[in-house]
Amino acid sequence: MTANARTAMQPSPPDSRPSTPTIHESQAPGTGPLTGLRVLDLATLFAGPLAATLLGDFGAEVIKVEHPRRPDPSRGHGPAKDGVGLWWKLLGRNKKTVTLDLASPGGRDVLLGLAATADVVIENFRPGTLEKWGLGPAELAAAKPGLVLARVTGFGQFGPYAHRPGFGTLAEAMSGFAALTGEPDGPPTLPPFGLADSVAALTTAYAVMAALRGRETTGRGQVVDLAIIEPMLTVLGAQPLWYDQLGHIQPRTGNRSANSAPRNTYRTADGTWLAVSAATRSVAERLLRLVGRPEFAAEPWFATGAGRARHADELDAAVGGWIARHGRDEVVAAFERVEAAVAPVCDIRGVMENEQYRALGSITEVPDDELGTVRMQNVLFRLSATPGAIRWAGRPHGADTDAVLSGLLGLSAERIAALRADGAV
């Protein structure tokens, strides 16, 4: 298993302890299924840039465009080491970095030149901003008729909220997610990480691929209008249907589910926490036999998930009481023996040390010119024939400007210097 070619792998022998996967020199870069695709990433925090990262992981050539004097905010977001932002190392991986002031005439001309060589442009400016700069869909399509323009904004390109500032936090609130999250007697709860942005990034990458497939069949490019408030609605499942047909509004239930039980986190005798889910009747029956309460399975309410959820207090007392009398390893072994579902509640240290993540290579080592070796999430999935790749971590601001402008557009060193003197690059 390597960082820059994530293929399906055979299980490790039971007595082996696979180390963190690292890049292997025999794996050639640029051999993923999206090799030959060129993406211009004009976006900032976080959905648009992450969508471009996902495309780059599977071979697309991604050119990150940043303002010459105002780098992408992710470079300064969160913790840093030796002045180097760590968020950017993840978000900027597999991207060439160039600087352009898109509001300047020189920057506009260079961007149109780059667009003429590209397949995809991803942007997340407020609606109308690209048009104000003379870089709207019409101008970009004129530069490259088959171009796919992905526009990622908080609220979409039209509607009463379209011109408001929009962030993932607002999507988490508006979508219904925050209203569902937290204890029943507590306030709505927002996630402490970019959940809506990440879901929107996955959706944007999918939308771009759908648009590119459309180009193959029609020969035409198109605009992707992605509102961050929308993908979270799909993640929340059938709730619009429940409300439409039944007037049902799901309340906050903490760790419990309204549709199955037992389902909670439970503390073991040695002080660790485990998550348990018994979403099917058969698993619930095996679990209750394990904890010494098989009589519950004979109750009429036990037959359905909703029925078990209505008796969650009793089921939690039985399962939680049993788990509290046993150590973590003993509980996990017993659950595995009866084929009941259990998993540790991991903080990030637990994730980094977890044997299943290690077997899958979910965290990988990537060499970096600024920080030496860094560990980060691997590409999202394994392909057996055309694997994804992490070729490098996020590069310094503008590191590839001269190489990209000279290599793709044929600009001379003198022309690049003049653009730089004008503040366009």
Side-chain angles (χ1 to χ4, degrees):
M1 181 64 203
T2 66
N4 70 333
R6 194 172 188 201
T7 57
M9 63 182 294
Q10 297 299 316
S12 302
D15 59 349
S16 71
R17 291 259 179 191
S19 60
T20 302
T22 58
I23 284 183
H24 194 284
E25 292 179 359
S26 67
Q27 299 292 338
T31 57
L34 302 184
T35 296
L37 193 73
R38 181 170 292 147
V39 178
L40 304 184
D41 173 10
L42 314 185
T44 58
L45 299 173
F46 277 106
L50 182 55
T53 303
L54 299 175
L55 298 173
D57 283 350
F58 286 89
E61 179 189 10
V62 181
I63 299 173
K64 172 69 178 180
V65 177
E66 300 175 78
H67 194 279
R69 294 165 294 283
R70 296 190 296 275
D72 189 298
S74 66
R75 292 183 180 272
H77 192 86
K81 180 181 180 182
D82 299 332
V84 178
L86 299 179
W87 236 119
W88 170 251
K89 288 298 174 185
L90 172 69
L91 197 62
R93 73 188 192 190
N94 292 337
K95 298 180 182 181
K96 299 175 182 178
T97 63
V98 306
T99 59
L100 287 177
D101 181 355
L102 302 183
S104 71
R108 173 188 180 275
D109 291 345
V110 171
L111 192 282
L112 288 174
L114 291 175
T117 74
D119 300 281
V120 180
V121 172
I122 300 176
E123 65 99 3
N124 70 340
F125 300 105
R126 288 197 209 181
T129 301
L130 282 187
E131 287 84 350
K132 177 179 66 177
W133 294 336
L135 293 170
E139 290 87 354
L140 291 171
K144 179 67 175 290
L147 191 72
V148 171
L149 172 62
R151 316 193 78 173
V152 186
T153 57
F155 303 109
Q157 295 295 310
F158 56 90
Y161 290 13
H163 287 84
R164 294 182 181 181
F167 297 99
T169 296
L170 307 187
E172 290 146 9
M174 282 185 60
S175 66
F177 173 85
L180 291 173
T181 306
E183 294 300 323
D185 57 352
T189 302
L190 296 165
F193 59 92
L195 176 62
D197 278 297
S198 298
V199 174
L202 291 164
T203 308
T204 301
Y206 167 61
V208 165
M209 297 309 300
L212 289 170
R213 173 57 179 158
R215 186 177 72 176
E216 291 180 2
T217 58
T218 68
R220 298 191 301 272
Q222 58 185 300
V223 175
V224 174
D225 178 7
L226 192 290
I228 297 175
I229 60 172
E230 290 186 303
M232 289 294 290
L233 292 175
T234 297
V235 172
L236 293 179
Q239 292 189 52
L241 274 167
W242 293 342
Y243 181 76
D244 174 61
Q245 296 296 305
L246 303 171
H248 174 71
I249 300 175
Q250 183 173 324
R252 287 189 291 282
T253 57
N255 288 333
R256 290 180 173 176
S257 168
N259 305 299
S260 68
R263 193 258 200 186
N264 214 325
T265 58
Y266 306 94
R267 195 170 189 174
T268 65
D270 49 9
T272 61
W273 288 89
L274 297 172
V276 172
S277 178
T280 65
R281 179 176 181 174
S282 60
V283 171
E285 287 179 353
R286 293 196 296 269
L287 176 53
L288 270 296
R289 285 198 299 269
L290 171 65
V291 302
R293 299 300 302 272
E295 69 275 11
F296 280 130
E299 297 288 343
W301 51 260
F302 196 87
T304 66
R308 294 193 300 276
R310 288 192 292 272
H311 291 262
D313 286 344
E314 300 161 72
L315 296 174
D316 271 351
V319 174
W322 184 88
I323 289 176
R325 297 191 298 272
H326 299 80
R328 174 190 182 276
D329 292 345
E330 185 181 1
V331 173
V332 171
F335 270 60
E336 288 186 350
R337 188 169 61 250
V338 302
E339 298 183 348
V342 66
V345 177
C346 295
D347 59 15
I348 194 59
R349 176 174 56 188
V351 169
M352 302 290 270
E353 297 172 352
N354 183 269
E355 59 269 28
Q356 182 62 27
Y357 281 129
R358 291 176 69 87
L360 294 174
S362 304
I363 303 295
T364 190
E365 292 183 352
V366 181
D368 181 69
D369 291 340
E370 293 178 292
L371 297 176
T373 298
V374 296
R375 289 193 292 170
M376 65 176 66
Q377 300 94 320
N378 211 332
V379 300
L380 271 174
F381 45 84
R382 289 159 293 281
L383 296 179
S384 62
T386 54
I390 301 176
R391 299 180 292 282
W392 60 81
R395 289 169 53 71
H397 181 233
D400 304 293
T401 300
D402 288 27
V404 168
L405 300 192
S406 61
L408 291 185
L409 303 184
L411 299 186
S412 66
E414 292 76 16
R415 174 59 178 152
I416 296 171
L419 287 168
R420 186 167 282 121
D422 288 340
V425 304

